[in-house]
Amino acid sequence: MSTRAMLRWVLLLQLAVAGAIAYAVLRAGVASAWLALACGLAGVLLVRVLITANNFRATAPFASPTPAPFRIGAGAMLRLFAEEFMATLTQSSWFMAQASAHQRIHAGSTAPPLLLLHGYGCNSGYWTHLVRELDAARISHATLDLEPVLAGIDDFVPAVRRAVDALCAASGAARVVIVGHSMGGLVARAYLRDHGSARVAHVFTLGTPHHGTSLASKGPGLNALQMRHDPAGDAPAGAWLRALAASESAQTRALITSLFTHHDNIVAPQTSSVLEGARNIAFGGVGHVALGRNRRVLARLMQEIISLSTPKDNL
C-alpha cells in the first residue's frame, strides 16, 4: 500500500472518530449539532496535538546541548510547537494524502534541475511549499515517492537513479541537485555511494540523521532500523550508517550541505545532522517536519540553489 493510500485511510479513521464523538455529544443532549461537530473535531485535533507533543517528549532525553546563539524562550518555543503541529497536520491530512510524484521542466532555467527526496513515512507531497518556490523561480524539478514505505534505504537507490537520468534527459542538464529531507538525505548519500557524483552538482539535506536518531528505534521497517542511533557502538550510529560513512571520500562530503535545526523533535541528538567534511548550516526555533515549509529555511535553501546557477550550456 502506498503512503498516499495509508494516509487517506488514516484521514477517514479520524473523520469517523470525530463523527462518533459528535454523535455521542449530541445523544447526551448537551449541545447543538454544530457544537457537537466542533467537539468531535476538537477531540481529533487534541490527539494530534498530543502526538506532536510526545515526539518532543520522546527525544528530549537524547537531545544534544543547544548552543547559546540558538537558545529560545517560552514564547518562541510555543511558536515552534504550533508551527510543527500545523506542519504535521497539513502535510499528513492534506498535501501528502493527495500528492503524486511529478516532473516539471521550465525552459531556459539557468539553475540545475532539482530532484526532491522525502523522508520516512512521507511522500512527494512533503515538498508542496518548496515546489511553489521553485515554480516561482522557474527552476526545473522532479519529485519521487520512495516506496515500499518500509523498505531498506538501499532499495530506493534504483528509483533515484532512474529519476536522475530522466530529469537530465528532460531538462538537457548534465547534472542535478538533490534535496533530501530526513531519510531522503541518506538515500541521496546511498546514491552517491553506488553511482558516484558524475550527475550530481550538489546535495542538500534537511534534518537528516546522518549519525542516526533515537526515535528510529520506535519505527517499523528496515529503513528505520538503519537509522537507529547507536551510542554503544564504535560511533554514534548503527552499522548501516557506519558503512555508508566509510564508503565516502572527502570529495563526496564536499558535495553535501546539511541544513538542520537545534530544536529538531525527530532527530536526536540534533547534532546527528552535522556531517563531518560537509558544509553544515544550523537553524533554531523550527521543528523537524516544519523544515520543509519554514520561511527562513526555504529562503536560505533557495539562496543556496540559485547560487549554483550557471549558463545552461554549461550544465
Side-chain angles (χ1 to χ4, degrees), residues 178-180 185 201-208 210 252-260 273 275 277-283 300-301 304 307-308:
I178 300 178
V179 180
H202 203 80
V203 172
F204 293 99
T205 68
L206 277 68
T208 291
H210 292 297
T252 297
R253 289 289 179 90
L255 283 175
I256 301 172
T257 296
S258 174
L259 291 82
F260 71 100
S273 291
L275 185 62
R279 186 171 170 227
N280 297 282
I281 301 174
F283 292 86
R300 181 59 183 271
L301 178 59
E304 296 288 334
S307 72
L308 297 172

Side-chain angles (χ1 to χ4, degrees), residues 115-128:
L115 177 62
L116 310 180
L117 304 179
H118 61 79
Y120 177 82
C122 297
N123 66 14
S124 55
Y126 176 80
W127 298 109
T128 297

Side-chain angles (χ1 to χ4, degrees), residues 18 21-22 32-45:
I21 294 173
S32 66
W34 285 109
L35 185 55
L37 180 59
C39 289
L41 292 175
V44 171
L45 289 176

Side-chain angles (χ1 to χ4, degrees), residues 2-305:
S2 69
T3 300
R4 180 173 58 254
M6 287 191 293
L7 289 173
R8 288 178 176 178
W9 279 110
V10 170
L11 182 57
L12 285 174
L13 176 62
Q14 293 178 68
L15 291 175
V17 170
I21 294 173
Y23 179 74
V25 170
L26 194 60
R27 284 293 301 270
V30 296
S32 66
W34 285 109
L35 185 55
L37 180 59
C39 289
L41 292 175
V44 171
L45 289 176
L46 177 59
V47 172
R48 297 295 300 265
V49 167
L50 292 175
I51 291 172
T52 301
N54 186 61
N55 288 336
F56 283 94
R57 181 204 61 79
T59 53
F62 305 94
S64 50
T66 303
F70 296 95
R71 293 173 189 164
I72 60 176
M77 184 60 74
L78 285 174
R79 289 191 293 272
L80 182 162
F81 183 88
E83 182 186 36
E84 182 69 4
F85 167 70
M86 287 303 299
T88 57
L89 179 67
T90 56
Q91 293 287 9
S92 62
S93 297
W94 184 252
F95 297 122
M96 290 192 293
Q98 62 175 341
S100 57
H102 72 270
Q103 177 178 273
R104 191 167 298 142
I105 304 301
H106 292 283
S109 175
T110 59
L114 268 66
L115 177 62
L116 310 180
L117 304 179
H118 61 79
Y120 177 82
C122 297
N123 66 14
S124 55
Y126 176 80
W127 298 109
T128 297
H129 296 83
L130 178 58
V131 163
R132 291 172 183 168
E133 298 281 343
L134 296 175
D135 283 336
R138 296 192 58 77
I139 296 176
S140 300
H141 60 274
T143 61
L144 183 64
D145 290 334
L146 301 174
E147 295 175 342
V149 178
L150 303 181
I153 293 173
D154 303 295
D155 297 327
F156 301 133
V157 173
V160 174
R161 182 182 185 182
R162 292 191 295 271
V164 168
D165 292 345
L167 188 55
C168 285
S171 64
R175 296 180 297 167
V176 305
V177 170
I178 300 178
V179 180
H181 175 251
S182 198
M183 181 193 73
L186 297 177
V187 176
R189 288 174 60 196
Y191 169 87
L192 291 175
R193 177 201 62 200
D194 290 354
H195 302 293
S197 60
R199 289 206 153 184
V200 178
H202 203 80
V203 172
F204 293 99
T205 68
L206 277 68
T208 291
H210 292 297
H211 302 285
T213 174
S214 59
L215 208 59
S217 63
K218 309 295 184 183
L222 178 56
N223 45 9
L225 176 65
Q226 292 169 329
M227 291 188 287
R228 288 184 181 181
H229 181 65
D230 180 21
D234 298 332
W240 186 88
L241 288 170
R242 291 197 296 271
L244 177 65
S247 73
E248 294 174 323
S249 65
Q251 290 76 17
T252 297
R253 289 289 179 90
L255 283 175
I256 301 172
T257 296
S258 174
L259 291 82
F260 71 100
T261 169
H262 283 291
H263 296 100
D264 201 306
N265 55 305
I266 300 294
V267 175
Q270 288 73 22
T271 50
S272 175
S273 291
V274 175
L275 185 62
E276 298 76 7
R279 186 171 170 227
N280 297 282
I281 301 174
F283 292 86
V286 57
H288 184 78
V289 179
L291 282 167
R293 59 176 281 168
N294 180 270
R295 291 182 180 180
R296 289 181 295 127
V297 176
L298 289 185
R300 181 59 183 271
L301 178 59
M302 289 297 297
Q303 177 185 341
E304 296 288 334
I305 292 168

